Amino acid sequence: MPPNNGNPTPSIQWSTDSPSRLNISPAPDGLSATLTATGASGFQAGYDIHVTVTYDGTPSSPFPVFLNTPFTMVHGGPYNFSTCTAAGYTEPGFVEAAGVSVADLIGQTLLPIDVNETLENPRNFNGSDWFTPPPTATAWTPAHGDWSGNTFTDAILVCGSGFHPNPQAYSLNGTTLESNITQKFWIGTSAHFQGVCVQRDVISEYIDHATYVSLTTPIVNKPDCNQGTVIN
Amino acid sequence: MKLTAILKKSFVAILFCQASVLCVLGSSVEELATKADAIIIGTVTTRTESQGSVSFDIVPERILKGPAAFNGRVLHSWSGKLRGRAQTIDITLRGIWFLVRSSAPEWELLTARPQWHGMIPSLYFPVGILSADYRYQAGSPLLDVLTFEVAAGLESAGESSGSQAGILIALGDSKALSTQTVLNHLVNSPTPGSQLVGLAGVLSRGQRGSIAELSRRWPVIGNDANRQLVINAVRDSFRDTSPDNVQQLATLAGATSTPTDLKDAAVHALASIHTKEALPLLAGLLSSTDPEERMKGVSGLAAFANGCPQQTPGNVASMEYLQFRNLSPFRTVETMANFAFRRGPEEQETRLVSYWLNWWNLNKASVGAN
């Protein structure tokens, strides 16, 4: 390809086997085209998107296109826990901070990128008032210096004597659930429920610690992250 | 013609949904020193904090940069983690503060420690006692002063289970002599947690002999809670191409005593580096029973043969490391057609593994790998 058949006005058509993920805008002369991603390649799917150019009826070999995307959260960065006093707050209570990264379809961790969380369905249990009022969602923006290298921190702070019941110093012993909430992480935007959803979980708070439960990453089924789809 | 040129490329990569990456790499001391209008060592005794902002006065002890006399109130807007109504908190905080002028009468603060996002420690570095290694002379460059002061503060802070890991963030990718001094001090510390932080730092910088040092110290640091720091440094940052360092990395990856997570990190680094010294180990992976390892071998050999740049943190978003940018005497129509960099359907993987096994057998002598 191309056959170079001497035709001064050849017929050139561009096509793809994945029109839902790739939009092709050929130039007027058909000799080049702008490819715009409207979706992403599949996970562990090798070359799963192809483009073919047909020149005066002769098709080219399909050539592969890879469409990358933020895909998964990587938990494995620095993990910290602390007393409230050490973190500059009043006792009683605990502070926890987990370092997380975002990886693409190939598994490479990304440099700082806009991340936004959404928090839905805050619930209190066993007479607790920990989520009254509900917590506010956080955005991590590179321009604000919210990242450390390719890691950002998702933190919980429950400190002070204004709660019912009051929290206790960090340990993993507590088993009484005080509150929980559905958390989703969105990449590439600071707008709620926009961008690429890469993780869904429930933050569960106990009397002396917090933890992620029902954690799903990557999000293979996009409706899992729809607004209003909660798992707590 | 243009069409021909396009079609000759066996691979086209487009980043879907790429946003504002490559702009800020976090808050290193070097960046903070550049951005700050004033740098103060001082004390805060009381503050008013809410989810939207925190405000306080700093009583200065030393002014490292900025006005000769500092007398200002600080108002910082943030997405704070403190729940409920605004509170007045009377806890003394002694630290190094990085301030910028704002349009308001108050000073604004830069985020010093993003790992404490939305909490008061994010706004300052603690102050500690300088060890002998960190003592500096009057008139030393500001960056050296800050590097030693911040390292001393974080080493002694004990604010959390992982305070010392913050040193790596504060140092950023600095290669200054003062940074080297701090990392060597940590590597030679008697404390495994400090050794681990220091090793992660020297590995990230590809320091000569750092892989051998990691192998030697792993029995001591391998059980530390923050061992992932070292594993991440090997996997994502160690990209030194000097033959002895790459061979040490291959030895680490091939040793039966190397734990799985460290081995995976070393293999990933070797595939990313893919110099000729990395190839024997990568070729050996083609016969692994683990399909993930087999495809790592494929991606490393394919990147070498086709002249791909090594993968670094800086070219992930552009995916330049997947393009045939460098000259390579081994690049052919066939090597381009068999270029691969990730898992795929079983029949596709089987064909790729077979191709690259055959390619290695045909080319290993001319590659010149030991």
Side-chain angles (χ1 to χ4, degrees):
Chain A
M1 271 298 293
N4 269 340
N5 58 6
N7 182 354
T9 56
S11 165
I12 303 174
Q13 274 98 40
W14 293 69
S15 61
T16 177
D17 57 5
S18 304
S20 65
R21 293 182 286 181
L22 188 65
N23 180 264
I24 303 176
S25 299
D29 61 4
L31 298 183
S32 64
T34 300
L35 310 184
T36 304
T38 54
S41 292
F43 177 53
Q44 296 193 338
Y47 292 117
D48 60 342
I49 299 172
H50 298 85
V51 170
T52 301
V53 182
T54 303
Y55 189 107
D56 273 349
T58 304
S60 71
S61 297
F63 67 91
V65 177
F66 171 59
L67 302 178
N68 206 353
T69 181
F71 185 59
T72 187
M73 296 268 282
V74 181
H75 295 257
Y79 178 78
N80 292 308
F81 57 86
S82 171
T83 65
C84 293
T85 305
Y89 293 88
T90 51
E91 299 289 355
F94 59 90
V95 178
E96 287 183 79
V100 287
S101 302
V102 180
D104 65 9
L105 269 174
I106 311 173
Q108 307 284 10
T109 51
L110 300 177
L111 287 175
I113 186 170
D114 285 341
V115 176
N116 192 41
E117 72 173 345
T118 52
L119 300 172
E120 297 172 272
N121 197 30
R123 298 178 68 191
N124 292 314
F125 296 91
N126 302 307
S128 157
D129 65 357
W130 287 19
F131 277 169
T132 307
T136 53
T138 301
W140 293 266
T141 308
H144 294 166
D146 297 336
W147 283 68
S148 312
N150 59 7
T151 301
F152 69 91
T153 300
D154 186 27
I156 293 279
L157 181 147
V158 191
C159 290
S161 55
F163 295 94
H164 180 77
N166 281 329
Q168 298 173 7
Y170 176 83
S171 84
L172 295 173
N173 294 331
T175 56
T176 304
L177 184 63
E178 306 296 342
S179 61
N180 72 14
I181 198 164
T182 295
Q183 180 186 41
K184 295 164 186 167
F185 284 97
W186 303 82
I187 311 301
T189 176
S190 295
H192 285 351
F193 300 101
Q194 301 289 313
V196 181
C197 183
V198 294
Q199 179 173 309
R200 185 182 73 172
D201 61 78
V202 172
I203 300 172
S204 291
E205 296 184 336
Y206 297 86
I207 193 72
D208 54 6
H209 72 281
T211 187
Y212 297 114
V213 296
S214 304
L215 191 154
T216 302
T217 187
I219 301 297
V220 177
N221 183 34
K222 284 186 177 179
D224 287 349
C225 280
N226 284 350
Q227 185 169 7
T229 303
V230 297
I231 50 173
N232 65 317
Chain B
M1 64 196 291
K2 199 172 179 182
L3 176 63
T4 312
I6 291 171
L7 294 180
K8 274 185 177 174
K9 291 184 179 178
S10 65
F11 174 79
V12 177
I14 300 169
L15 183 63
F16 172 64
C17 203
Q18 182 177 352
S20 55
V21 295
L22 296 175
C23 38
V24 179
L25 294 179
S27 299
S28 71
V29 163
E30 191 169 6
E31 289 166 328
L32 290 166
T34 302
K35 291 178 186 170
D37 296 317
I39 304 173
I40 310 287
I41 295 180
T43 302
V44 171
T45 54
T46 185
R47 69 183 191 273
T48 302
E49 182 172 330
S50 68
Q51 289 187 349
S53 66
V54 58
S55 60
F56 48 82
D57 292 308
I58 302 174
V59 178
E61 297 170 28
R62 290 168 61 195
I63 298 173
L64 301 179
K65 178 182 177 183
F70 176 81
N71 184 14
R73 184 161 183 77
V74 172
L75 174 62
H76 180 70
S77 298
W78 67 0
S79 180
K81 290 291 183 184
L82 192 64
R83 296 178 190 179
R85 294 173 304 176
Q87 295 180 28
T88 299
I89 300 174
D90 298 323
I91 290 179
T92 298
L93 309 168
R94 183 166 175 257
I96 307 172
W97 311 81
F98 297 81
L99 301 110
V100 289
R101 298 180 197 283
S102 70
S103 54
E106 299 90 353
W107 289 80
E108 174 60 284
L109 277 165
L110 296 174
T111 301
R113 293 188 286 170
Q115 65 271 35
W116 289 93
H117 190 257
M119 295 180 268
I120 193 68
S122 68
L123 301 181
Y124 69 97
F125 288 108
V127 179
I129 297 171
L130 296 175
S131 67
D133 286 346
Y134 294 169
R135 284 188 198 124
Y136 55 86
Q137 296 182 336
S140 294
L142 175 62
L143 183 57
D144 291 345
V145 171
L146 286 170
T147 299
F148 291 136
E149 292 283 359
V150 165
L154 290 172
E155 272 189 70
S156 57
E159 291 164 318
S160 72
S161 57
S163 286
Q164 292 199 20
I167 295 175
L168 293 177
I169 298 162
L171 296 177
D173 56 5
S174 164
K175 292 184 172 60
L177 195 58
S178 51
T179 295
Q180 201 58 54
T181 301
V182 170
L183 294 177
N184 289 341
H185 172 86
L186 292 169
V187 169
N188 294 314
S189 161
T191 312
S194 298
Q195 290 179 31
L196 187 143
V197 171
L199 267 174
V202 297
L203 285 164
S204 298
R205 287 159 178 77
Q207 185 170 298
R208 199 177 192 89
S210 54
I211 292 291
E213 195 66 33
L214 168 62
S215 301
R216 194 170 72 78
R217 293 180 187 262
W218 186 257
V220 176
I221 64 172
N223 292 322
D224 191 275
N226 279 313
R227 73 205 287 269
Q228 194 68 33
L229 284 176
V230 162
I231 291 168
N232 290 351
V234 172
R235 184 186 193 280
D236 296 329
S237 302
F238 182 86
R239 294 293 182 266
D240 186 73
T241 56
S242 60
D244 55 344
N245 250 348
V246 177
Q247 280 164 351
Q248 286 167 4
L249 188 60
T251 301
L252 179 68
T256 54
S257 59
T258 303
T260 304
D261 52 359
L262 182 57
K263 179 184 179 182
D264 289 348
V267 165
H268 183 93
L270 286 165
S272 300
I273 293 168
H274 57 73
T275 57
K276 66 179 184 181
E277 290 79 14
L279 298 190
L281 188 284
L282 293 171
L285 295 177
L286 296 172
S287 304
S288 169
T289 55
D290 179 355
E292 195 74 43
E293 286 193 345
R294 287 199 299 270
M295 287 308 289
K296 276 290 178 201
V298 165
S299 67
L301 290 175
F304 169 83
N306 287 302
C308 295
Q310 69 167 260
Q311 180 267 322
T312 66
N315 63 17
V316 166
S318 69
M319 293 196 287
E320 183 187 341
Y321 69 100
L322 297 176
Q323 298 168 18
F324 309 154
R325 291 286 181 93
N326 300 335
L327 293 173
S328 170
F330 299 98
R331 184 164 60 228
T332 65
V333 171
E334 285 75 29
T335 62
M336 290 192 287
N338 286 281
F339 180 70
F341 51 89
R342 67 180 192 134
R343 300 291 308 279
E346 189 175 342
E347 55 80 21
Q348 198 177 85
E349 290 191 358
T350 301
R351 180 176 52 77
L352 287 164
V353 168
S354 173
Y355 174 84
W356 288 105
L357 265 173
N358 186 51
W359 181 91
W360 176 245
N361 289 331
L362 291 172
N363 290 280
K364 62 183 171 187
S366 52
V367 165
N370 295 320

